[in-house]
Amino acid sequence: RWGYQVVTAASIDDAIACLASCEVRPSLLICDLHLHGDQNGIAAIARIRDEYNTAIPAMLITGDTTARRPGRLKHGGFVLLHKPVPSDKLRAAMARLLQAQPPGQPHRADAG
């Protein structure tokens, strides 16, 4: 209803495959901090950015209460929202990220 096309995936590999098969170039990544197994949202963001060679705006969400502690570096410096995320807070964070970086910026593996 917000005017976005949404692609969901359960793993990093699924996300890459889904984006490739539906020929969608992501304009924003919203990843859970903790994914299945030993995967995490920071690695997912890095891999998708590498795949597109673009610094796609991204944020993390989590239900992990220990993630509330100070220390943005452990979250890769990404915006971190805590579940349950109110829709107005999610929408505002999305808008800020989409406006902050023009699409198509080259991705540097050592950034973010």
Side-chain angles (χ1 to χ4, degrees):
R1 290 183 276 168
W2 292 353
Y4 298 104
Q5 179 180 358
V6 177
V7 175
T8 62
S11 71
I12 299 170
D13 289 336
D14 287 346
I16 300 289
C18 185
L19 290 166
S21 70
C22 63
E23 299 179 7
V24 172
R25 183 176 186 89
S27 55
L28 175 68
L29 302 172
I30 302 173
C31 296
D32 202 300
L33 179 60
H34 302 292
L35 302 176
H36 297 286
D38 62 349
Q39 297 183 350
N40 65 60
I42 296 169
I45 291 166
R47 179 126 174 253
I48 294 169
R49 284 177 165 182
D50 285 346
E51 186 74 21
Y52 288 92
N53 193 32
T54 303
I56 302 163
M59 74 173 84
L60 296 166
I61 59 169
T62 188
D64 181 355
T65 57
T66 63
R68 292 184 186 270
R69 293 190 297 240
R72 287 185 61 144
L73 292 179
K74 74 176 188 174
H75 302 121
F78 294 108
V79 170
L80 179 66
L81 300 178
H82 296 275
K83 298 176 190 175
V85 181
S87 60
D88 59 335
K89 189 172 184 177
L90 175 62
R91 196 172 194 172
M94 291 170 62
R96 278 191 308 274
L97 286 170
L98 289 168
Q99 291 171 2
Q101 182 167 352
Q105 289 293 316
H107 169 61
R108 291 181 30 183
D110 61 343

XYZ file of all heavy atoms in Angstrom:
844
model
N 0.813 -1.203 0.000
C 0.000 0.000 0.000
C 0.853 1.262 0.000
O 0.320 2.331 -0.236
C -0.934 -0.003 1.195
C -2.017 -1.053 1.068
C -2.959 -1.006 2.211
N -2.372 -1.771 3.305
C -2.802 -1.757 4.531
N -3.821 -1.023 4.857
N -2.212 -2.467 5.458
N 2.156 1.126 0.280
C 3.032 2.301 0.314
C 3.640 2.577 -1.042
O 4.413 3.519 -1.195
C 4.135 2.112 1.337
C 3.672 2.083 2.761
C 2.411 2.339 3.228
C 4.455 1.782 3.900
N 2.376 2.219 4.587
C 3.626 1.870 5.033
C 5.780 1.439 4.080
C 4.078 1.637 6.318
C 6.238 1.206 5.361
C 5.381 1.307 6.470
N 3.352 1.751 -2.025
C 3.855 1.976 -3.369
C 5.179 1.300 -3.678
O 5.814 1.623 -4.672
N 5.596 0.355 -2.841
C 6.852 -0.357 -3.062
C 6.570 -1.766 -3.553
O 5.592 -2.384 -3.159
C 7.663 -0.464 -1.764
C 8.076 0.854 -1.183
C 7.423 1.385 -0.068
C 9.124 1.581 -1.737
C 7.805 2.603 0.470
C 9.510 2.802 -1.200
C 8.840 3.306 -0.097
O 9.224 4.502 0.431
N 7.450 -2.279 -4.392
C 7.431 -3.689 -4.745
C 8.338 -4.382 -3.745
O 9.506 -3.995 -3.591
C 7.940 -3.912 -6.160
C 7.951 -5.361 -6.560
C 8.473 -5.571 -7.973
O 8.796 -4.627 -8.676
N 8.571 -6.812 -8.372
N 7.834 -5.399 -3.062
C 8.577 -6.061 -1.997
C 8.992 -7.453 -2.450
O 8.198 -8.197 -3.021
C 7.724 -6.163 -0.711
C 8.465 -6.915 0.380
C 7.311 -4.773 -0.251
N 10.248 -7.779 -2.182
C 10.784 -9.114 -2.436
C 11.263 -9.652 -1.102
O 12.009 -8.974 -0.399
C 11.955 -9.057 -3.449
C 12.591 -10.421 -3.627
C 11.487 -8.491 -4.778
N 10.818 -10.848 -0.736
C 11.227 -11.434 0.537
C 12.037 -12.701 0.280
O 11.854 -13.369 -0.739
C 10.021 -11.775 1.424
O 9.209 -12.748 0.761
C 9.197 -10.539 1.725
N 12.918 -13.009 1.211
C 13.738 -14.219 1.093
C 14.114 -14.693 2.489
O 14.208 -13.900 3.425
C 14.993 -13.921 0.280
N 14.366 -15.994 2.608
C 14.708 -16.592 3.893
C 16.206 -16.675 4.134
O 16.633 -16.909 5.255
C 14.099 -17.990 3.992
N 17.001 -16.499 3.086
C 18.453 -16.583 3.244
C 19.114 -15.639 2.244
O 18.468 -15.112 1.344
C 18.947 -18.013 3.003
O 18.846 -18.339 1.631
N 20.410 -15.478 2.407
C 21.157 -14.611 1.497
C 21.110 -15.176 0.080
O 20.839 -14.448 -0.878
C 22.612 -14.436 1.974
C 22.643 -13.775 3.361
C 23.424 -13.622 0.976
C 24.006 -13.769 4.031
N 21.343 -16.473 -0.063
C 21.310 -17.094 -1.386
C 19.928 -16.971 -2.023
O 19.810 -16.710 -3.220
C 21.727 -18.567 -1.317
C 23.213 -18.733 -1.032
O 23.997 -17.805 -1.327
O 23.590 -19.799 -0.505
N 18.876 -17.161 -1.213
C 17.511 -17.011 -1.727
C 17.257 -15.585 -2.203
O 16.602 -15.370 -3.221
C 16.472 -17.367 -0.658
C 16.389 -18.859 -0.379
O 16.934 -19.658 -1.171
O 15.776 -19.223 0.641
N 17.769 -14.622 -1.459
C 17.570 -13.217 -1.851
C 18.235 -12.931 -3.187
O 17.625 -12.325 -4.076
C 18.130 -12.289 -0.771
N 19.477 -13.379 -3.354
C 20.201 -13.180 -4.613
C 19.442 -13.839 -5.762
O 19.227 -13.238 -6.819
C 21.641 -13.738 -4.520
C 22.436 -13.049 -3.419
C 22.344 -13.665 -5.871
C 22.826 -11.637 -3.668
N 19.009 -15.079 -5.564
C 18.295 -15.819 -6.615
C 16.963 -15.170 -6.948
O 16.599 -15.028 -8.121
C 18.092 -17.270 -6.184
N 16.228 -14.754 -5.921
C 14.915 -14.136 -6.135
C 15.042 -12.818 -6.881
O 14.292 -12.548 -7.822
C 14.215 -13.934 -4.799
S 12.537 -13.318 -4.956
N 15.993 -11.995 -6.476
C 16.197 -10.720 -7.151
C 16.613 -10.922 -8.603
O 16.162 -10.205 -9.496
C 17.236 -9.876 -6.409
C 16.790 -9.328 -5.066
C 17.982 -8.799 -4.274
C 15.738 -8.240 -5.249
N 17.435 -11.936 -8.863
C 17.877 -12.228 -10.231
C 16.720 -12.741 -11.077
O 16.553 -12.325 -12.230
C 19.013 -13.240 -10.218
N 15.883 -13.600 -10.498
C 14.800 -14.202 -11.280
C 13.668 -13.226 -11.579
O 13.030 -13.320 -12.614
C 14.250 -15.444 -10.579
O 13.547 -15.083 -9.412
N 13.438 -12.293 -10.680
C 12.356 -11.330 -10.934
C 12.888 -10.038 -11.543
O 12.136 -9.103 -11.760
C 11.547 -11.064 -9.672
S 12.456 -10.313 -8.332
N 14.193 -10.027 -11.807
C 14.840 -8.900 -12.474
C 14.558 -7.561 -11.790
O 14.311 -6.553 -12.428
C 14.461 -8.862 -13.947
C 14.899 -10.112 -14.692
C 14.510 -10.095 -16.148
O 14.010 -9.075 -16.637
O 14.717 -11.132 -16.799
N 14.589 -7.590 -10.474
C 14.384 -6.377 -9.681
C 15.730 -5.901 -9.168
O 16.514 -6.682 -8.633
C 13.443 -6.659 -8.482
C 13.384 -5.470 -7.550
C 12.063 -7.016 -8.971
N 16.001 -4.626 -9.357
C 17.213 -4.032 -8.782
C 16.767 -3.330 -7.499
O 15.989 -2.380 -7.542
C 17.824 -3.034 -9.752
C 19.121 -2.453 -9.245
C 19.748 -1.538 -10.306
N 21.046 -1.101 -9.888
C 22.178 -1.745 -10.141
N 22.144 -2.863 -10.843
N 23.321 -1.288 -9.714
N 17.229 -3.813 -6.349
C 16.730 -3.255 -5.090
C 17.146 -1.795 -4.893
O 18.258 -1.398 -5.237
C 17.368 -4.152 -4.030
C 18.537 -4.782 -4.696
C 18.226 -4.854 -6.153
N 16.227 -1.011 -4.335
C 16.534 0.385 -4.017
C 16.709 0.566 -2.512
O 17.195 1.598 -2.069
C 15.448 1.311 -4.547
O 14.188 0.932 -4.057
N 16.323 -0.444 -1.726
C 16.458 -0.409 -0.275
C 16.478 -1.843 0.244
O 15.703 -2.675 -0.226
C 15.282 0.345 0.349
C 15.210 0.379 1.870
C 16.348 1.209 2.461
C 13.875 0.948 2.330
N 17.351 -2.105 1.200
C 17.416 -3.420 1.827
C 16.996 -3.294 3.284
O 17.493 -2.427 4.007
C 18.842 -3.980 1.767
C 19.451 -4.117 0.381
C 20.924 -4.506 0.497
C 18.682 -5.127 -0.446
N 16.078 -4.150 3.703
C 15.678 -4.239 5.103
C 15.950 -5.676 5.512
O 15.305 -6.596 5.025
C 14.190 -3.886 5.299
C 13.899 -2.484 4.777
C 13.809 -4.026 6.774
C 12.418 -2.113 4.781
N 16.932 -5.854 6.383
C 17.355 -7.198 6.772
C 17.224 -7.383 8.271
O 17.531 -6.474 9.043
C 18.807 -7.425 6.369
S 19.090 -7.372 4.598
N 16.833 -8.579 8.659
C 16.853 -8.925 10.075
C 18.305 -9.061 10.490
O 19.129 -9.557 9.727
C 16.099 -10.226 10.311
C 15.639 -10.364 11.749
O 16.522 -10.371 12.643
O 14.441 -10.453 11.979
N 18.636 -8.612 11.681
C 20.011 -8.708 12.163
C 20.459 -10.164 12.251
O 21.563 -10.514 11.858
C 20.150 -8.018 13.526
C 21.533 -8.066 14.172
C 22.584 -7.403 13.289
C 21.499 -7.401 15.541
N 19.596 -11.025 12.759
C 19.925 -12.445 12.916
C 19.119 -13.256 11.913
O 17.893 -13.272 11.968
C 19.607 -12.916 14.337
C 20.343 -12.145 15.386
N 21.711 -12.214 15.552
C 19.904 -11.259 16.313
C 22.077 -11.426 16.537
N 21.004 -10.830 17.015
N 19.820 -13.947 11.021
C 19.176 -14.809 10.039
C 19.370 -16.265 10.437
O 19.981 -16.562 11.466
C 19.771 -14.536 8.648
C 19.661 -13.090 8.158
C 20.374 -12.923 6.819
C 18.209 -12.657 8.049
N 18.885 -17.172 9.616
C 18.993 -18.601 9.909
C 20.451 -19.040 9.932
O 21.281 -18.537 9.180
C 18.230 -19.418 8.862
C 16.762 -19.131 8.863
N 15.926 -19.597 9.847
C 15.993 -18.408 8.026
C 14.704 -19.182 9.605
N 14.712 -18.451 8.502
N 20.739 -19.992 10.810
C 22.089 -20.535 10.901
C 23.069 -19.480 11.362
O 22.797 -18.715 12.282
N 24.202 -19.428 10.699
C 25.232 -18.469 11.088
C 25.198 -17.205 10.248
O 26.116 -16.398 10.291
C 26.619 -19.126 11.024
C 26.984 -19.586 9.617
O 26.103 -19.585 8.737
O 28.151 -19.958 9.403
N 24.138 -17.019 9.468
C 24.015 -15.824 8.634
C 23.472 -14.663 9.439
O 22.767 -14.851 10.428
C 23.106 -16.093 7.434
C 23.637 -17.149 6.507
C 22.749 -17.337 5.294
O 21.644 -16.819 5.203
N 23.239 -18.104 4.340
N 23.831 -13.442 9.002
C 23.274 -12.256 9.655
C 22.979 -11.192 8.613
O 23.425 -11.277 7.460
C 24.210 -11.734 10.753
C 25.517 -11.230 10.208
O 25.550 -10.304 9.395
N 26.616 -11.814 10.655
N 22.224 -10.201 9.024
C 21.799 -9.140 8.113
C 22.939 -8.300 7.578
O 22.882 -7.807 6.448
N 23.986 -8.133 8.370
C 25.133 -7.338 7.916
C 25.806 -8.035 6.733
O 26.115 -7.410 5.721
C 26.123 -7.100 9.073
C 25.446 -6.255 10.157
C 27.397 -6.427 8.569
C 26.210 -6.181 11.457
N 25.979 -9.353 6.831
C 26.562 -10.121 5.723
C 25.632 -10.116 4.510
O 26.098 -10.046 3.369
C 26.850 -11.550 6.175
N 24.325 -10.185 4.752
C 23.364 -10.165 3.650
C 23.451 -8.849 2.881
O 23.490 -8.836 1.642
C 21.943 -10.382 4.181
N 23.501 -7.751 3.607
C 23.604 -6.437 2.967
C 24.894 -6.350 2.147
O 24.876 -5.925 0.986
C 23.536 -5.313 4.022
C 22.131 -5.251 4.630
C 23.925 -3.963 3.403
C 22.030 -4.415 5.893
N 25.997 -6.777 2.735
C 27.286 -6.721 2.035
C 27.256 -7.563 0.768
O 27.727 -7.126 -0.288
C 28.408 -7.186 2.963
N 26.690 -8.740 0.851
C 26.670 -9.636 -0.319
C 25.789 -9.094 -1.428
O 26.155 -9.146 -2.597
C 26.217 -11.025 0.109
C 26.141 -11.991 -1.023
C 26.929 -13.253 -0.791
N 26.668 -14.167 -1.882
C 25.924 -15.255 -1.785
N 25.418 -15.623 -0.631
N 25.716 -16.007 -2.831
N 24.632 -8.562 -1.075
C 23.737 -8.012 -2.100
C 24.351 -6.761 -2.708
O 24.308 -6.556 -3.919
C 22.326 -7.759 -1.524
C 21.674 -9.100 -1.152
C 21.464 -6.995 -2.527
C 20.408 -8.980 -0.337
N 24.965 -5.922 -1.887
C 25.665 -4.751 -2.421
C 26.783 -5.175 -3.367
O 26.974 -4.577 -4.422
C 26.227 -3.896 -1.288
C 25.189 -3.076 -0.567
C 25.818 -2.328 0.583
N 24.957 -1.275 1.091
C 25.293 -0.458 2.068
N 26.477 -0.565 2.655
N 24.453 0.476 2.469
N 27.528 -6.200 -2.996
C 28.591 -6.713 -3.863
C 28.013 -7.234 -5.179
O 28.587 -7.010 -6.245
C 29.380 -7.822 -3.178
C 30.331 -7.316 -2.106
O 30.593 -6.095 -2.050
O 30.804 -8.151 -1.313
N 26.895 -7.939 -5.086
C 26.252 -8.505 -6.270
C 25.891 -7.413 -7.281
O 26.038 -7.598 -8.481
C 24.994 -9.283 -5.847
C 24.310 -10.021 -6.945
C 25.042 -11.282 -7.385
O 25.861 -11.834 -6.621
O 24.784 -11.727 -8.508
N 25.420 -6.280 -6.788
C 25.007 -5.167 -7.652
C 26.086 -4.100 -7.791
O 25.900 -3.138 -8.529
C 23.705 -4.550 -7.127
C 22.527 -5.443 -7.356
C 22.128 -6.360 -6.387
C 21.834 -5.414 -8.555
C 21.062 -7.206 -6.608
C 20.765 -6.253 -8.784
C 20.380 -7.154 -7.808
O 19.324 -8.001 -8.028
N 27.184 -4.254 -7.070
C 28.276 -3.279 -7.073
C 27.742 -1.858 -6.840
O 28.141 -0.904 -7.500
C 29.090 -3.348 -8.370
C 30.392 -2.591 -8.249
O 30.982 -2.524 -7.177
N 30.828 -1.997 -9.335
N 26.812 -1.761 -5.909
C 26.150 -0.503 -5.599
C 25.907 -0.414 -4.100
O 25.535 -1.398 -3.470
C 24.782 -0.411 -6.331
O 25.002 -0.554 -7.725
C 24.092 0.904 -6.074
N 26.111 0.765 -3.551
C 25.856 0.990 -2.123
C 24.356 1.199 -1.904
O 23.883 2.306 -1.702
C 26.647 2.183 -1.614
N 23.611 0.116 -1.960
C 22.165 0.166 -1.785
C 21.863 0.575 -0.346
O 22.410 -0.011 0.591
C 21.540 -1.221 -2.081
C 21.893 -1.667 -3.496
C 20.028 -1.188 -1.862
C 21.684 -3.155 -3.737
N 21.006 1.588 -0.137
C 20.635 1.962 1.230
C 20.079 0.742 1.973
O 19.372 -0.079 1.377
C 19.561 3.026 1.040
C 19.793 3.561 -0.335
C 20.317 2.401 -1.133
N 20.403 0.636 3.267
C 20.007 -0.561 4.008
C 19.794 -0.250 5.478
O 20.384 0.672 6.026
C 21.077 -1.634 3.850
N 18.947 -1.062 6.094
C 18.716 -0.978 7.534
C 18.557 -2.383 8.083
O 18.289 -3.324 7.346
C 17.489 -0.136 7.855
C 16.174 -0.815 7.566
S 14.742 0.110 8.145
C 14.495 1.212 6.792
N 18.721 -2.492 9.386
C 18.562 -3.757 10.085
C 17.385 -3.658 11.043
O 17.113 -2.585 11.592
C 19.824 -4.077 10.888
C 21.096 -4.299 10.091
C 22.309 -4.252 11.014
C 21.028 -5.637 9.368
N 16.705 -4.774 11.231
C 15.683 -4.863 12.269
C 16.023 -6.060 13.137
O 16.680 -7.005 12.697
C 14.256 -4.990 11.686
C 14.126 -6.234 10.807
C 13.863 -3.740 10.924
C 12.700 -6.550 10.422
N 15.580 -6.015 14.383
C 15.853 -7.131 15.285
C 14.843 -7.174 16.425
O 14.282 -6.157 16.808
C 17.286 -7.034 15.866
O 17.567 -8.235 16.585
C 17.461 -5.839 16.764
N 14.665 -8.364 16.920
C 13.898 -8.566 18.138
C 14.815 -8.864 19.307
O 14.376 -9.100 20.425
N 16.110 -8.836 19.046
C 17.132 -9.135 20.042
C 17.270 -7.950 20.996
O 17.737 -6.884 20.602
C 18.449 -9.417 19.327
C 19.587 -9.767 20.262
O 19.403 -9.713 21.497
O 20.672 -10.087 19.746
N 16.901 -8.131 22.237
C 16.958 -7.031 23.196
C 18.396 -6.665 23.566
O 18.656 -5.538 23.968
C 16.176 -7.365 24.482
O 16.692 -8.570 25.042
C 14.694 -7.516 24.178
N 19.349 -7.586 23.405
C 20.742 -7.235 23.699
C 21.300 -6.285 22.649
O 22.302 -5.618 22.889
C 21.647 -8.477 23.781
O 21.671 -9.135 22.510
C 21.175 -9.432 24.856
N 20.660 -6.193 21.496
C 21.119 -5.290 20.431
C 20.811 -3.831 20.762
O 21.249 -2.928 20.065
C 20.477 -5.671 19.100
N 20.073 -3.583 21.830
C 19.751 -2.215 22.229
C 20.931 -1.501 22.879
O 20.931 -0.290 23.008
C 18.572 -2.192 23.199
C 17.270 -2.589 22.565
C 16.139 -2.431 23.570
N 14.907 -2.940 23.031
C 14.042 -2.216 22.342
N 14.283 -0.962 22.094
N 12.924 -2.748 21.887
N 21.920 -2.256 23.300
C 23.080 -1.647 23.955
C 23.826 -0.750 22.982
O 23.842 -0.997 21.779
C 24.008 -2.735 24.482
C 23.385 -3.524 25.618
C 24.413 -4.415 26.252
N 24.918 -5.407 25.313
C 24.821 -6.714 25.481
N 24.239 -7.189 26.546
N 25.312 -7.537 24.597
N 24.470 0.271 23.505
C 25.254 1.151 22.634
C 26.338 0.371 21.902
O 26.804 -0.647 22.368
C 25.881 2.157 23.603
C 25.048 2.094 24.832
C 24.495 0.695 24.894
N 26.728 0.874 20.748
C 27.783 0.218 19.972
C 27.368 -0.019 18.547
O 27.282 -1.150 18.115
N 27.086 1.048 17.826
C 26.641 0.924 16.442
C 27.628 0.160 15.577
O 27.251 -0.426 14.589
C 26.403 2.302 15.836
C 25.156 2.968 16.350
C 24.918 4.239 15.628
N 24.749 3.955 14.215
C 23.932 4.598 13.422
N 23.224 5.579 13.877
N 23.852 4.297 12.152
N 28.915 0.154 15.958
C 29.902 -0.523 15.130
C 29.606 -2.014 15.015
O 29.841 -2.615 13.990
C 31.316 -0.301 15.673
C 31.824 1.127 15.550
C 33.229 1.235 16.150
C 31.844 1.573 14.097
N 29.066 -2.601 16.064
C 28.767 -4.029 15.972
C 27.583 -4.296 15.045
O 27.333 -5.422 14.673
C 28.540 -4.640 17.352
C 27.237 -4.310 18.004
C 27.125 -5.073 19.315
C 25.737 -4.914 19.899
N 25.568 -5.735 21.078
N 26.872 -3.250 14.670
C 25.762 -3.383 13.733
C 26.131 -2.796 12.376
O 25.269 -2.462 11.582
C 24.505 -2.713 14.283
C 24.086 -3.272 15.604
N 23.987 -2.500 16.725
C 23.811 -4.531 15.993
C 23.646 -3.258 17.741
N 23.538 -4.490 17.325
N 27.407 -2.638 12.127
C 27.871 -2.153 10.842
C 27.569 -0.691 10.587
O 27.698 -0.224 9.461
N 27.134 0.038 11.611
C 26.791 1.438 11.424
C 25.431 1.636 10.775
O 25.050 2.757 10.458
N 24.681 0.557 10.556
C 23.370 0.659 9.925
C 22.315 1.136 10.909
O 22.432 0.911 12.114
C 22.926 -0.711 9.371
C 23.772 -1.199 8.241
C 24.641 -2.258 8.415
C 23.705 -0.592 6.996
C 25.433 -2.712 7.382
C 24.499 -1.033 5.947
C 25.358 -2.096 6.146
N 21.278 1.756 10.396
C 20.094 2.063 11.188
C 19.589 0.731 11.727
O 19.491 -0.252 10.987
C 19.002 2.729 10.319
C 17.692 2.828 11.057
C 19.470 4.095 9.836
N 19.291 0.684 13.024
C 18.805 -0.540 13.658
C 17.476 -0.240 14.333
O 17.410 0.589 15.245
C 19.818 -1.056 14.687
C 19.434 -2.320 15.442
C 19.374 -3.514 14.492
C 20.428 -2.592 16.566
N 16.423 -0.900 13.874
C 15.091 -0.745 14.458
C 14.751 -2.014 15.224
O 15.118 -3.125 14.816
C 14.049 -0.507 13.365
C 14.262 0.738 12.492
C 13.184 0.809 11.412
C 14.267 1.992 13.328
N 14.035 -1.842 16.329
C 13.696 -2.973 17.191
C 12.236 -3.374 17.018
O 11.348 -2.525 17.009
C 13.985 -2.621 18.653
C 15.444 -2.382 18.881
N 16.324 -3.399 19.129
C 16.181 -1.253 18.849
C 17.542 -2.914 19.248
N 17.486 -1.606 19.077
N 12.023 -4.694 16.895
C 10.675 -5.253 16.746
C 9.939 -5.165 18.068
O 10.568 -5.328 19.116
C 10.753 -6.719 16.316
C 11.405 -6.947 14.976
C 11.496 -8.440 14.741
C 12.345 -8.779 13.543
N 12.525 -10.221 13.382
N 8.653 -4.974 18.023
C 7.866 -4.695 16.822
C 8.090 -3.251 16.360
O 8.108 -2.333 17.183
C 6.423 -4.912 17.265
C 6.434 -4.648 18.740
C 7.819 -5.037 19.226
N 8.289 -3.081 15.073
C 8.559 -1.765 14.514
C 7.230 -1.123 14.123
O 6.525 -1.650 13.265
C 9.475 -1.854 13.271
C 9.756 -0.470 12.717
C 10.759 -2.585 13.594
N 6.886 0.005 14.746
C 5.659 0.703 14.342
C 5.771 1.131 12.879
O 6.840 1.533 12.409
C 5.603 1.922 15.262
C 6.523 1.606 16.397
C 7.569 0.689 15.838
N 4.666 1.032 12.154
C 4.701 1.326 10.721
C 5.167 2.750 10.423
O 5.893 2.974 9.455
C 3.343 1.055 10.075
O 2.342 1.855 10.662
N 4.799 3.713 11.266
C 5.234 5.087 11.004
C 6.750 5.238 11.173
O 7.404 5.961 10.419
C 4.485 6.098 11.865
C 4.653 5.875 13.368
O 4.930 4.735 13.790
O 4.505 6.846 14.122
N 7.324 4.523 12.119
C 8.769 4.573 12.338
C 9.508 3.892 11.177
O 10.530 4.381 10.703
C 9.117 3.905 13.667
C 10.545 4.097 14.092
C 10.765 3.585 15.506
C 12.170 3.869 15.962
N 12.400 3.444 17.342
N 8.980 2.764 10.718
C 9.576 2.064 9.583
C 9.512 2.931 8.330
O 10.509 3.094 7.617
C 8.863 0.733 9.333
C 9.317 -0.052 8.106
C 10.789 -0.443 8.227
C 8.442 -1.284 7.917
N 8.366 3.497 8.086
C 8.180 4.333 6.890
C 9.104 5.547 6.917
O 9.695 5.909 5.907
C 6.724 4.762 6.797
C 6.337 5.287 5.459
C 4.849 5.495 5.394
N 4.444 5.672 4.032
C 3.210 5.728 3.637
N 2.231 5.600 4.520
N 2.916 5.906 2.372
N 9.264 6.173 8.068
C 10.145 7.344 8.193
C 11.599 6.948 7.959
O 12.338 7.649 7.265
C 9.978 7.986 9.567
N 12.020 5.807 8.520
C 13.398 5.338 8.322
C 13.646 5.013 6.858
O 14.704 5.341 6.310
C 13.678 4.124 9.201
N 12.686 4.397 6.212
C 12.808 4.084 4.788
C 12.959 5.361 3.968
O 13.839 5.450 3.104
C 11.591 3.283 4.315
C 11.519 1.879 4.880
S 9.940 1.050 4.558
C 9.922 1.004 2.777
N 12.126 6.333 4.245
C 12.178 7.597 3.497
C 13.521 8.297 3.680
O 14.111 8.791 2.718
C 11.033 8.509 3.931
N 14.013 8.323 4.920
C 15.321 8.954 5.179
C 16.432 8.266 4.393
O 17.273 8.922 3.790
C 15.651 8.927 6.671
C 14.997 10.037 7.465
C 15.578 10.127 8.873
N 15.583 8.875 9.608
C 14.580 8.396 10.331
N 13.467 9.094 10.447
N 14.686 7.258 10.970
N 16.446 6.949 4.419
C 17.492 6.208 3.711
C 17.401 6.400 2.194
O 18.417 6.552 1.520
C 17.427 4.721 4.051
C 17.929 4.353 5.437
C 17.592 2.905 5.762
C 19.421 4.580 5.544
N 16.202 6.376 1.673
C 16.030 6.529 0.229
C 16.397 7.930 -0.244
O 16.911 8.109 -1.345
C 14.598 6.175 -0.181
C 14.266 4.692 -0.105
C 12.767 4.478 -0.243
C 15.029 3.914 -1.165
N 16.177 8.929 0.589
C 16.510 10.304 0.219
C 17.986 10.619 0.449
O 18.536 11.488 -0.199
C 15.662 11.291 1.031
C 14.214 11.267 0.651
C 13.360 12.090 1.600
O 13.868 12.704 2.533
N 12.063 12.093 1.372
N 18.632 9.897 1.355
C 20.003 10.218 1.744
C 21.038 9.836 0.700
O 22.078 10.463 0.607
C 20.347 9.529 3.063
N 20.757 8.823 -0.087
C 21.762 8.359 -1.038
C 21.135 8.159 -2.402
O 20.219 7.368 -2.556
C 22.366 7.041 -0.570
C 23.443 6.555 -1.487
C 24.226 5.440 -0.839
O 24.061 5.130 0.321
N 25.093 4.841 -1.598
N 21.644 8.862 -3.399
C 21.129 8.655 -4.744
C 21.411 7.240 -5.208
O 22.455 6.679 -4.864
C 21.891 9.666 -5.601
C 22.811 10.390 -4.712
C 22.706 9.827 -3.335
N 20.480 6.631 -5.977
C 20.704 5.277 -6.459
C 21.904 5.220 -7.389
O 22.254 6.208 -8.043
C 19.410 4.928 -7.198
C 18.727 6.227 -7.435
C 19.232 7.209 -6.422
N 22.542 4.068 -7.436
C 23.629 3.855 -8.364
C 24.989 4.236 -7.850
O 25.962 4.205 -8.599
N 25.098 4.610 -6.567
C 26.424 4.922 -6.016
C 27.251 3.642 -5.991
O 26.777 2.609 -5.554
C 26.285 5.467 -4.581
C 25.686 6.844 -4.517
C 26.617 7.881 -5.115
O 27.799 7.871 -4.869
N 26.056 8.770 -5.911
N 28.492 3.709 -6.451
C 29.334 2.519 -6.422
C 29.512 2.022 -4.987
O 29.609 2.801 -4.066
C 30.668 2.988 -6.996
C 30.351 4.246 -7.705
C 29.153 4.847 -7.035
N 29.543 0.724 -4.866
C 29.725 0.094 -3.554
C 31.211 -0.150 -3.330
O 31.899 -0.668 -4.191
C 28.976 -1.229 -3.495
C 29.320 -2.056 -2.306
N 29.107 -1.613 -1.022
C 29.876 -3.274 -2.191
C 29.504 -2.559 -0.186
N 29.973 -3.566 -0.865
N 31.689 0.231 -2.166
C 33.058 -0.072 -1.768
C 32.973 -1.160 -0.707
O 32.284 -0.988 0.291
C 33.742 1.160 -1.187
C 34.003 2.215 -2.219
C 34.680 3.397 -1.629
N 35.511 3.009 -0.491
C 36.183 3.856 0.251
N 36.158 5.125 0.002
N 36.904 3.446 1.272
N 33.673 -2.234 -0.915
C 33.622 -3.377 0.010
C 34.028 -3.006 1.425
O 33.583 -3.608 2.378
C 34.512 -4.503 -0.504
N 34.861 -1.968 1.589
C 35.308 -1.593 2.926
C 34.419 -0.536 3.559
O 34.684 -0.083 4.647
C 36.749 -1.102 2.892
C 36.928 0.139 2.015
O 36.036 0.416 1.209
O 37.968 0.794 2.143
N 33.332 -0.143 2.895
C 32.429 0.869 3.450
C 31.225 0.187 4.059
O 30.852 -0.909 3.688
C 31.989 1.834 2.350
N 30.514 0.924 4.967
C 29.261 0.455 5.515
C 29.462 -0.561 6.520
O 28.838 -1.240 7.090
